[in-house]
Amino acid sequence: MHADRSSFEAYMKFLAEAASDGAPQVLETRHALSLHFDALATQSLMSRKHPDKLVLGYTRTMMGFLLLHPTPARISMIGLGGGSLAKYCYRHLTNTKVVAIEINPEVIALREQFQIPPDDERLEVVCADGAEYVANQNARPDVILVDGFLAGGMPVQLGTADFYAACHARLADTGVLVANFLESDPDIPLYLEEASTAFGQSMSLSLAEDSANYTLFAWKGSPKLPALNALLARARILETAHALNLTGAARRLKRGERIASDRTSWPKPGRLQIR
């Protein structure tokens, strides 16, 4: 009871004192640390007991790229935040080079607080604009994860046709792009339209696990996903090494392919109900 009370008091204090200038702020409670740009939205959440665990559902859903590319040699992440995805991939994909691109040096300055390991041969944190990094780097990642947000939402440059074209060009021949969208973002149909100019019908959109976020998957290589039974078989194998609901992710991924490939079925802005 005392622990719960102290966490509640810490939260109420944070609400009362949180700045509204868009600077990153950390809420510390007995059990968790969370990153915020304002008092309302949580950008990242870390369990103190299990700092490498993916606590937020959308981060677990983004790991669904494993169904398409289980052993990536290189992952580029746009947006570091509290480092949840970077830490998970660094710990569990031991043959993968992880490069996290974060535009805000104040966010990077919090890496020790969120127990993000120091740079080494498998992990690199770069302070740069993610869209410019993708357009100008020569490296060809197998996976690009897009989870870049500012206080006002997703930066405009991460949802344009030029950005998606750069991602398509930069990805390896069988590469996968995964992008996180807020459910409240009215421009999600526009992002789908722009992404389709680069990836055609090789896309899927699904509701993220346990959250009000949506996840876009787009891929190179085969224009269609494998059959559902094949995806489920992959999921069961992967779940022996990953504490993730990849079986559920496989079902959402396959259903989302049907939605994303048919423009007439795209929901109206703000009313996405893909499950």
Side-chain angles (χ1 to χ4, degrees), residues 1-22:
M1 178 64 75
H2 176 71
D4 291 342
R5 179 67 181 179
S6 66
S7 294
F8 175 76
E9 290 176 350
Y11 177 65
M12 294 305 294
K13 184 175 186 292
F14 175 79
L15 288 179
E17 299 179 355
S20 58
D21 58 0

Side-chain angles (χ1 to χ4, degrees), residues 180-199:
N180 173 42
F181 302 140
L182 295 177
E183 183 272 341
S184 58
D185 190 334
D187 290 328
I188 292 177
L190 174 61
Y191 304 149
L192 294 177
E193 185 70 45
E194 301 289 65
S196 71
T197 64
F199 290 91

Side-chain angles (χ1 to χ4, degrees), residues 121-174:
E121 69 278 2
R122 290 201 306 110
L123 176 65
E124 181 181 4
V125 176
V126 178
C127 188
D129 180 290
E132 293 180 1
Y133 182 92
V134 169
N136 297 322
Q137 284 295 305
N138 293 324
R140 302 195 67 197
D142 298 297
V143 178
I144 297 176
L145 302 179
V146 184
D147 187 25
F149 286 87
L150 303 173
M154 192 178 82
V156 173
Q157 65 266 31
L158 298 183
T160 66
D162 286 345
F163 173 69
Y164 292 120
C167 288
H168 189 276
R170 188 64 55 218
L171 281 166
D173 291 341
T174 57

Side-chain angles (χ1 to χ4, degrees), residues 110-131:
L110 298 172
R111 66 183 295 175
E112 289 188 11
Q113 197 166 352
F114 281 93
Q115 300 186 38
I116 301 170
D119 285 7
D120 61 16
E121 69 278 2
R122 290 201 306 110
L123 176 65
E124 181 181 4
V125 176
V126 178
C127 188
D129 180 290

